[in-house]
Amino acid sequence: MANRPTCKTKDGRKERKRKIYHAAFRFGLRSKRRKIQPVKMVKAVVGEESQLKLIEDRLSQSGLPVQLGLVVGKLSSPLDRGFVFDLVPTPPNDAGEAACSLLESVKDDKEKGTKSRSQAAEVSSLFIDDDWVAEHARQVARMLVGGVGVVGIYIWVSSDAFKNSTIMLYQTIKGVAEATPVLETDREERLLIHICYSPMRWTCRNCTWTSNITSSSLRPCDFKMGRVLTSLQTFKCTYNFNLSLPICHESASNVQTLRDVLRQGISHHAKELKDAKAIIDGNLVVGDEPCTLDGVHEVELLLPFMKDSNAEACSRKDALGVLVFNGSVCSFAYLNSKEPISQAVSDIKMDIIMSLQSRLDIICDEAYGDVGPKDDASPEASDGISTNKPVSQLVLHFLRKECSLSFPRRVFVPWLAGTYICDYLQPSETLEVLKDHCVELMSMEGPTDASTILKPEIEAPSLVTKSFWDVAAPFYSASSFPFGDDMEEGRDLDNSQSSVKLSNKLVFIG
Amino acid sequence: MIGAVTDLNNTREVQFFRTRSENSRSLELVTSVVYDEHPEKHIWETGCLLRCELPIRLPVYFPAKNWPDAEKMYLRATEAVVAKFKDPQVVYVVETLSKASTGVPQPVILRGIELDFDTALSNIKLLGKDAHDSDPKFLSCAHFCLKSKSDRPILSAENADIIQLSVLLNSSEKSEKSSSPVAEYIPALEEAGLLAVNFKLGVLCYAAKEIPVMYAVSKLIIPGLVDQLNSMKNVILPNLLTKHPQLCPYHFNPPGVLHPITVIYELNYGETEMKQVDIRKSLHLRLGLPSDRPLLRIANALDFSTTNDSARNDTIRKGSTLLKDVHVGIPISGVPGGIVSLIQGSYEYYHYLQDSFNDSGWGCAYRSLQTIISWFRLQHYSSIDVPSHREIQQALVEIGDKDASFIGSREWIGAIELSFVLDKLLGVSCRVINVTSGAELPEKCRELALHFENQGTPIMIGGGVLAYTLLGVDYNEASGDCAFLILDPHYTGNEDLKKIVNGGWCGWKKSVDSKGRSFFLHDKFYNLLLPQRPNMV
């Protein structure tokens, strides 16, 4: 990517697009599932008829010889099914080149009669900008909520060209998968949808890559059109969290930037969240029954009571400071009506973690872009800290001053059939930015009416100056809790090591 | 509160008094007292157990240069926990703890905001048996108790209805405004230390089934958790920065005590270390428990695991299906007017050919020893595995009683060898009774009956002939008529209780049977090995 011609754009988002990071950042959720869940392959795929017909019409009228883009939908392990909600074409890259083009051969006319395999390959094959497609996938994935993901790629091309380019398409899919890891399952599986124009035909292949590229790694599966989006169930959750991440002396050997600490904190929290119980519409989720009721379902997540997993097992450490990471994440997840309700819970959890992760990525992407010109430095960086580094790059161990990093707020934009996608807005950004993203990345018309955009999160408050002791002991603030009457004063325990206590008995005598 | 007074000089009648409320200073005489023959029936039919396990981990930051402040921060942290129990965001999940998979009531959520901490216990409205309300606030404890009692004939704490409570924090509580995340770093301006303090809380409460479960939480569980937290807090406090005690609560239901008790042990000490032994001794004393029965060891703790194949089940762990207590339910001895004295406690029946090991013809004493050791294991005097023949031989070689060639041989062992092995492996001492003829054995019945009453251990009978295990005697002191409860290790069949009992492999043997034959041979000598119950707790 480094040698790609770049053009600095006004909103910084295009800048962001050029960077590809190691998207295969793995959370604990991934490895744990591996042992439990046998890998089941998707056997049948249903596409949303209303949307895909529209796309089909648009494609056949376009006269384009080739178009490549992303498949947005859901792969359901328990149902062995895939659902396709939408197809999103990958936009031209920064140099204005299409992500995918046909290479025409000079021998085209002469050899047409023989049609040997190798020559056919020369006749028409695809050129795909893999990195660009993967980057598009990464950014689209950020805009999707729980239960919806980039599940593969589609290609609109003649069947000859398709046949000649399967290996290349396979590579592209792999790149897309690496850019948008599905954390919740270990499914190394994506869809490849081929829309052939003469005759007009949709075919779907199931793509896996456990071994080397062989013919068996691209397996055809059933594809049909149907109603998918209208039967989706909507789940909503506002997740409030408050993490205290201690910064200790002993880890000074491997110095960590603020970004590293946050990344680690998020991945650590993901494990904790994985085991959280959930209440849906006031009822504890116990079984795996499907959800039958309509409407938006409220999800509440229950976490362990005062079990700070960030404070490691009893050992005295020298604390240099504490990183308080708190706020709320508004989350949505969509569930197919046949899926078990527990899936909605794990989709919501995944959405929360991905949302935190995406916001951190956005901050860091922008910070990378800003390293060069000083005047472009993020507002936080100029906030009294005498360094050119963006805040996310600060090494906390050496920092003797307070600093803060506000995460962008999440907003939800109406998408297809009453569903929403999301986007993130930095404090300086306006809804115009959001419109650009919708058009450019999701190939949709931007929202015309600002009132349809959900803005459940308010901007993070600016730094409230507190002392270390106030923050280190956040729940000790005596004012908020009425200590006193019911507090039992240090009941003495004889002998120190053990005590006998009769079980609390309630005895009623009449 | 209830108090009782008795006059030792006069009537010896016990009088009960009560106070109505905590602050009341007046005592009222209780006029009607019911003495129930089976109080446990009443207790477990009208009440249930509430169980709550709660691990807590607290980070405690403290100024490195100021130790007293560390204690202050620690105390404040625990105070914050106490306050947090009543936080509106706390959610209590109430569910039935049951081994059954069907017919179990659905778990119910109680939110901290709904709990009532102010109503006095005596003012709580009890719910009748037929109170049905979908509002979790008005569900009674009985709602979570299983209806069918038929499969649980024994009423005890282990078989009681148990309601499990989990304390969780709702992180989706609605607030007017949720603001997007922010990370703030605040450096410590002075040197600071960080300590993670762990509390492993586990309380067990007894509640009448008629009380609403929300009051069971606010009036029993939460005060129980607070009490235990405070107890642990005080133990940890003196050595806050130096020691890291591993305090862990265990629940016991010792014989003679109707309700379970909770003991907090420090797991950094081994169970057999003097410090722990002394603690157990003092607990036995305070609870009036016998000082030679290990009743408060961790192995005795109530096991609430819902899986049937818990690790405590020895037979399953070993993959075999040894029979336990085969003498229970066998036909009576038929000694007219006899008094039966039996071993106290469980044992496993070891006999020929078990574990696919062919010891037929020579292994009977080894098997008898295995049965005896299993008794010590099951009474929690020892946790060693029951030794194999080879391990028994090994032990005898190690103490110098036998040559190395003994290991792997098929040589017999006798009562004396058994006493060596019991001493070596368990530290158990034995008394030996010798008789020169089987005809003398009935004379020893009185002594044997005393052994079973005081020691209660299985006896090994060895000597010139076959080895047996003796589990009890039935003795009529006046007539001298007697019978011996013999467990015969020579059985070669499978673990079929019916076959064992019908074949007489476990049964009462009269010294002279109806056909005039003597069970104990008159021309042979016998050695009786009486293992002594260790005087330990």
Side-chain angles (χ1 to χ4, degrees):
Chain A
M1 281 319 286
N3 52 9
R4 182 184 303 283
T6 59
C7 57
K8 180 102 177 150
T9 51
K10 53 184 187 320
D11 68 338
R13 183 63 69 112
K14 284 226 172 114
E15 192 71 19
R16 212 183 284 161
K17 266 195 233 170
R18 272 184 281 118
K19 303 291 172 192
I20 290 188
Y21 303 104
H22 297 286
F25 186 85
R26 312 232 153 144
F27 295 112
L29 294 121
R30 195 175 171 80
S31 56
K32 275 203 171 169
R33 275 288 179 99
R34 177 172 296 171
K35 288 152 204 152
I36 311 157
Q37 233 174 33
V39 177
K40 277 161 83 182
M41 304 264 293
V42 161
K43 289 180 189 131
V45 175
V46 190
E48 170 60 33
E49 191 161 24
S50 59
Q51 186 65 11
L52 298 194
K53 284 289 174 208
L54 222 68
I55 289 163
E56 188 182 284
D57 291 349
R58 208 182 293 147
L59 280 170
S60 46
Q61 283 160 21
S62 69
L64 286 171
V66 60
Q67 188 185 72
L68 184 134
L70 307 174
V71 178
V72 174
K74 174 168 211 173
L75 300 183
S76 166
S77 229
L79 300 179
D80 298 348
R81 280 184 175 217
F83 303 98
V84 176
F85 303 157
D86 195 11
L87 305 180
V88 184
T90 299
N93 63 19
D94 286 347
E97 298 154 350
C100 177
S101 50
L102 269 180
L103 296 177
E104 301 291 344
S105 169
V106 282
K107 295 175 190 169
D108 199 0
D109 310 320
K110 269 194 275 177
E111 309 262 339
K112 206 158 191 175
T114 59
K115 273 201 174 172
S116 79
R117 191 169 283 265
S118 62
Q119 280 156 339
E122 287 175 275
V123 170
S124 57
S125 70
L126 289 166
F127 167 78
I128 303 171
D129 187 343
D130 283 349
D131 291 346
W132 187 247
V133 177
E135 179 56 22
H136 180 223
R138 193 171 82 93
Q139 301 216 19
V140 167
R142 270 183 199 167
M143 297 181 74
L144 302 175
V145 299
V148 187
V150 174
V151 295
I153 60 169
Y154 75 91
I155 182 115
W156 157 263
V157 76
S158 71
S159 55
D160 275 353
F162 179 80
K163 268 181 219 154
N164 294 336
S165 315
T166 46
I167 291 183
M168 184 161 272
L169 286 164
Y170 185 84
Q171 291 290 3
T172 309
I173 291 193
K174 217 174 152 181
V176 165
E178 275 161 11
T180 59
V182 181
L183 303 173
E184 145 216 21
T185 59
D186 193 40
R187 182 190 293 280
E188 292 295 5
E189 178 181 36
R190 293 295 187 281
L191 303 179
L192 170 59
I193 293 176
H194 174 214
I195 314 159
C196 177
Y197 42 78
S198 50
M200 173 64 77
R201 194 155 50 95
W202 291 66
T203 49
C204 182
R205 284 172 178 78
N206 188 341
C207 191
T208 51
W209 49 91
T210 43
S211 53
N212 294 328
I213 301 169
T214 57
S215 57
S216 69
S217 55
L218 267 177
R219 255 175 273 183
C221 55
D222 284 345
F223 183 86
K224 61 177 180 185
M225 304 274 192
R227 286 155 65 90
V228 179
L229 286 167
T230 45
S231 63
L232 288 181
Q233 302 259 0
T234 308
F235 292 83
K236 188 182 170 230
C237 176
T238 304
Y239 180 67
N240 311 312
F241 66 99
N242 189 357
L243 305 180
S244 293
L245 310 170
I247 306 298
C248 293
H249 235 326
E250 59 178 28
S251 52
S253 51
N254 53 340
V255 286
Q256 289 178 308
T257 59
L258 176 57
R259 179 190 136 195
D260 297 335
V261 176
L262 284 172
R263 210 174 257 283
Q264 229 170 57
I266 293 170
S267 103
H268 192 97
H269 193 60
K271 287 174 203 157
E272 199 167 84
L273 196 59
K274 179 179 170 283
D275 297 324
K277 292 191 175 189
I279 300 175
I280 294 183
D281 299 334
N283 297 314
L284 190 73
V285 177
V286 267
D288 250 357
E289 71 280 3
C291 183
T292 48
L293 295 164
D294 282 337
V296 178
H297 304 288
E298 286 282 341
V299 182
E300 294 168 78
L301 295 174
L302 308 178
L303 269 89
F305 176 86
M306 296 200 117
K307 198 175 175 196
D308 190 330
S309 54
N310 292 299
E312 277 315 317
C314 222
S315 68
R316 241 188 102 189
K317 285 177 185 170
D318 298 316
L320 293 170
V322 62
L323 180 67
V324 178
F325 181 35
N326 58 16
S328 302
V329 176
C330 288
S331 167
F332 274 98
Y334 295 107
L335 186 77
N336 187 280
S337 52
K338 291 195 184 89
E339 284 184 281
I341 203 162
S342 58
Q343 184 65 44
V345 176
S346 51
D347 285 345
I348 281 277
K349 289 175 181 175
M350 195 57 56
D351 183 58
I352 290 166
I353 294 301
M354 289 311 291
S355 175
L356 287 174
Q357 189 61 51
S358 298
R359 295 187 219 209
L360 183 59
D361 284 348
I362 288 170
I363 296 171
C364 296
D365 287 9
E366 237 136 67
Y368 270 114
D370 291 335
V371 170
K374 256 187 199 175
D375 52 313
D376 243 358
S378 56
E380 289 90 359
S382 55
D383 200 7
I385 294 159
S386 57
T387 169
N388 292 336
K389 277 185 182 174
V391 175
S392 59
Q393 292 301 303
L394 292 174
V395 173
L396 297 180
H397 296 98
F398 305 143
L399 191 67
R400 305 310 301 151
K401 280 182 173 174
E402 291 98 16
C403 72
S404 90
L405 189 61
S406 295
F407 276 45
R409 59 204 269 242
R410 194 180 202 189
V411 293
F412 297 93
V413 184
W415 191 43
L416 307 170
T419 60
Y420 286 93
I421 54 170
C422 72
D423 200 5
Y424 298 97
L425 287 183
Q426 298 269 44
S428 57
E429 291 175 324
T430 61
L431 292 178
E432 280 305 304
V433 176
L434 196 147
K435 214 172 221 172
D436 286 355
H437 294 163
C438 289
V439 173
E440 203 181 335
L441 296 170
M442 294 300 292
S443 181
M444 61 189 265
E445 281 173 33
T448 46
D449 182 2
S451 66
T452 57
I453 300 167
L454 304 183
K455 289 165 279 199
E457 294 177 6
I458 60 165
E459 236 163 69
S462 52
L463 179 66
V464 187
T465 317
K466 291 182 214 160
S467 83
F468 171 77
W469 294 113
D470 287 344
V471 178
F475 36 73
Y476 310 158
S477 50
S479 56
S480 60
F481 297 114
F483 294 139
D485 303 327
D486 44 18
M487 257 289 298
E488 282 180 84
E489 275 310 317
R491 178 176 288 185
D492 252 341
L493 191 64
D494 54 334
N495 272 338
S496 83
Q497 294 308 333
S498 71
S499 77
V500 179
K501 194 174 87 60
L502 297 185
S503 292
N504 290 292
K505 270 188 72 178
L506 191 63
V507 182
F508 292 98
I509 28 172
Chain B
M1 292 287 274
I2 300 177
V5 177
T6 180
D7 186 345
L8 289 173
N9 299 323
N10 269 327
T11 54
R12 299 205 163 212
E13 192 189 334
V14 184
Q15 285 190 309
F16 292 88
F17 296 90
R18 67 169 174 183
T19 59
R20 283 273 182 192
S21 71
E22 271 176 57
N23 304 321
S24 158
R25 284 163 189 268
S26 65
L27 287 176
E28 296 172 36
L29 179 68
V30 179
T31 47
S32 106
V33 178
V34 179
Y35 290 91
D36 196 332
E37 229 175 289
H38 298 288
E40 67 276 3
K41 189 168 145 63
H42 177 76
I43 284 186
W44 299 119
E45 272 179 3
T46 58
C48 58
L49 287 176
L50 302 166
R51 176 176 178 245
C52 180
E53 292 208 315
L54 180 60
I56 289 178
R57 191 185 298 133
L58 292 177
V60 177
Y61 292 87
F62 59 92
K65 287 192 178 135
N66 192 346
W67 284 43
D69 271 7
E71 294 190 353
K72 214 187 284 169
M73 294 303 275
Y74 163 74
L75 290 176
R76 275 172 72 189
T78 52
E79 278 166 24
V81 176
V82 170
K84 195 82 179 169
F85 283 127
K86 301 184 181 181
D87 194 285
Q89 280 181 39
V90 174
V91 164
Y92 294 86
V93 177
V94 188
E95 54 201 320
T96 306
L97 191 71
S98 165
K99 288 178 186 170
S101 50
T102 53
V104 178
Q106 288 285 304
V108 162
I109 300 273
L110 287 171
R111 294 170 194 264
I113 201 159
E114 302 165 343
L115 293 180
D116 171 8
F117 294 95
D118 303 324
T119 308
L121 210 51
S122 47
N123 295 339
I124 294 169
K125 201 178 133 226
L126 296 184
L127 299 169
K129 269 189 186 130
D130 6 87
H132 288 294
D133 206 315
S134 54
D135 190 341
K137 283 168 89 170
F138 299 110
L139 283 177
S140 67
C141 290
H143 172 83
F144 297 95
C145 298
L146 298 178
K147 304 283 176 289
S148 72
K149 289 278 182 289
S150 54
D151 56 330
R152 289 175 296 142
I154 308 157
L155 289 160
S156 69
E158 266 137 326
N159 295 302
D161 284 301
I162 297 167
I163 301 175
Q164 171 109 332
L165 273 130
S166 322
V167 190
L168 296 164
L169 212 51
N170 189 349
S171 44
S172 311
E173 201 65 29
K174 284 179 209 93
S175 62
E176 325 74 75
K177 276 293 172 192
S178 9
S179 58
S180 57
V182 60
E184 292 177 45
Y185 176 67
I186 299 103
L189 296 176
E190 51 184 321
E191 268 185 67
L194 167 60
L195 196 69
V197 188
N198 287 297
F199 293 102
K200 203 176 161 196
L201 302 185
V203 300
L204 203 58
C205 303
Y206 174 80
K209 286 184 182 174
E210 284 153 18
I211 82 159
V213 78
M214 65 173 282
Y215 285 109
V217 171
S218 63
K219 290 292 171 184
L220 298 172
I221 286 286
I222 294 175
L225 289 169
V226 171
D227 268 4
Q228 199 171 70
L229 180 70
N230 283 329
S231 302
M232 289 189 182
K233 173 190 83 181
N234 293 338
V235 173
I236 295 173
L237 186 61
N239 304 308
L240 181 61
L241 299 173
T242 48
K243 281 189 198 163
H244 310 302
Q246 271 192 286
L247 302 176
C248 188
Y250 291 94
H251 312 296
F252 297 92
N253 197 188
V257 184
L258 280 177
H259 54 82
I261 57 162
T262 302
V263 182
I264 302 168
Y265 283 126
E266 151 72 296
L267 298 188
N268 280 336
Y269 297 103
E271 269 219 302
T272 48
E273 276 180 52
M274 274 324 285
K275 198 161 181 154
Q276 289 303 91
V277 173
D278 287 344
I279 286 164
R280 281 201 301 274
K281 268 187 189 153
S282 78
L283 290 178
H284 273 251
L285 199 67
R286 283 165 64 182
L287 293 165
L289 299 173
S291 60
D292 59 351
R293 304 278 192 281
L295 298 170
L296 299 179
R297 291 202 178 191
I298 289 167
N300 297 74
L302 291 173
D303 180 13
F304 295 109
S305 61
T306 43
T307 42
N308 286 318
D309 50 0
S310 69
R312 294 178 62 203
N313 197 329
D314 290 324
T315 54
I316 287 172
R317 185 179 55 78
K318 285 181 71 185
S320 68
T321 50
L322 292 176
L323 293 176
K324 259 193 206 171
D325 302 339
V326 287
H327 69 280
V328 175
I330 58 160
I332 55 163
S333 65
V335 173
I339 292 170
V340 179
S341 311
L342 292 179
I343 63 158
Q344 299 165 27
S346 293
Y347 60 90
E348 285 165 337
Y349 180 25
Y350 284 84
H351 59 77
Y352 275 170
L353 304 186
Q354 270 173 342
D355 297 327
S356 318
F357 186 73
N358 187 359
D359 55 346
S360 183
W362 60 278
C364 53
Y366 293 86
R367 296 296 186 182
S368 183
L369 176 60
Q370 287 175 333
T371 299
I372 291 171
I373 291 176
S374 80
W375 183 91
F376 280 93
R377 261 182 70 80
L378 291 171
Q379 314 317 307
H380 305 298
Y381 284 107
S382 172
S383 55
I384 65 155
D385 284 331
V386 170
S388 64
H389 294 56
R390 200 182 174 85
E391 283 161 346
I392 292 168
Q393 291 169 336
Q394 177 85 42
L396 285 167
V397 170
E398 273 172 31
I399 60 166
D401 181 59
K402 295 277 189 286
D403 290 334
S405 62
F406 182 63
I407 298 171
S409 73
R410 299 182 149 212
E411 276 179 54
W412 291 29
I413 55 172
I416 305 306
E417 282 88 350
L418 256 68
S419 74
F420 291 157
V421 176
L422 285 173
D423 183 47
K424 157 110 178 130
L425 297 182
L426 304 178
V428 166
S429 59
C430 298
R431 214 159 69 79
V432 178
I433 299 176
N434 313 98
V435 290
T436 49
S437 156
E440 293 171 34
L441 271 172
E443 298 165 22
K444 301 291 178 192
C445 260
R446 190 182 174 64
E447 215 174 326
L448 295 174
L450 265 176
H451 167 84
F452 286 117
E453 267 150 41
N454 295 334
Q455 305 290 332
T457 62
I459 292 173
M460 181 262 186
I461 303 177
V465 282
L466 308 168
Y468 298 112
T469 313
L470 181 63
L471 302 175
V473 290
D474 192 351
Y475 180 50
N476 183 336
E477 217 169 316
S479 66
D481 203 356
C482 64
F484 298 82
L485 180 52
I486 297 291
L487 184 68
D488 194 339
H490 302 94
Y491 174 63
T492 53
N494 52 7
E495 311 307 312
D496 180 349
L497 185 62
K498 217 170 161 184
K499 217 160 130 186
I500 291 163
V501 174
N502 290 347
W505 299 103
C506 176
W508 287 102
K509 310 286 178 192
K510 286 197 172 180
S511 54
V512 182
D513 68 13
S514 51
K515 288 167 192 152
R517 282 180 306 209
S518 298
F519 184 75
F520 296 109
L521 303 176
H522 289 193
D523 55 344
K524 301 286 182 195
F525 73 95
Y526 288 89
N527 287 332
L528 274 65
L529 186 75
L530 286 61
Q532 303 297 292
R533 189 191 275 270
N535 189 15
M536 62 200 277
V537 293

